Structure formats: C-alpha cells, structure tokens
Amino acid sequence: MKPENINENAQQKRRKDALVSSIISTVILLCSATGMLLLSRFMLWGTIGSILLLILAMLDMGMLIPIWILYRKRLEEIKGGEEDAAAEY
C-alpha cells in the first residue's frame, strides 16, 4: 500500500542525491587512503610514521562500509515517504 502524500519526482531526486553523495564520499575516502598508502610506502617505509599512515588508511577504507549501509537506510526512508509526510506540516 502506497501512502497518498508521496511526491514521486521529489523521491527520485532524493534517491539520486543520496547516490551521488555516497559515491563522492567513497571516492574521497579511497583517494585519501590511496594517498596515505603511497606516502607510507615510498616516503616513510619502516618508520613509526608508516605504521600510523597504514592504520589511518585502513580506517578510511573501513568507513566505506557504513557509508553504503547508511545509503541503503536512506533509500528505505525515501521509499517510506517520511520526508513527504514531514513536508505537510
């Protein structure tokens, strides 16, 4: 059953914006992690700084999972029409 107050055009725009936001965040985190890994490998190899950069790069890559989990939750919210219902108030 579909609620009456859902604006399909607005939902489509919200879905597109959520996807673009997730992709941009993913690209930024991957670029950051790649930069840290390269810096660790070529500039600081064998030092405490390289270990720190490796840890930070892994944390950056680990943040990709929550980004896409939140994207899926955002799609569920959009599909449910919560924003359309809130817009009526």
Side-chain angles (χ1 to χ4, degrees), residues 4-15:
E4 298 171 12
N5 59 352
I6 291 181
N7 182 347
E8 290 294 328
N9 292 332
Q11 278 194 346
Q12 184 177 3
K13 183 181 181 327
R14 287 185 196 115
R15 283 192 298 269

Side-chain angles (χ1 to χ4, degrees), residues 4-62:
E4 298 171 12
N5 59 352
I6 291 181
N7 182 347
E8 290 294 328
N9 292 332
Q11 278 194 346
Q12 184 177 3
K13 183 181 181 327
R14 287 185 196 115
R15 283 192 298 269
K16 181 182 174 191
D17 289 344
L19 178 62
V20 168
S21 175
S22 296
I23 290 172
I24 289 172
S25 297
T26 298
V27 168
I28 289 171
L29 285 174
L30 285 175
C31 288
S32 172
T34 302
M36 285 188 273
L37 288 172
L38 289 173
L39 184 62
S40 166
R41 174 70 172 109
F42 294 113
M43 302 296 249
L44 302 170
W45 192 251
T47 65
I48 205 86
S50 72
I51 295 170
L52 180 63
L53 284 174
L54 287 172
I55 292 169
L56 291 174
M58 292 299 140
L59 288 173
D60 265 4
M61 287 189 269

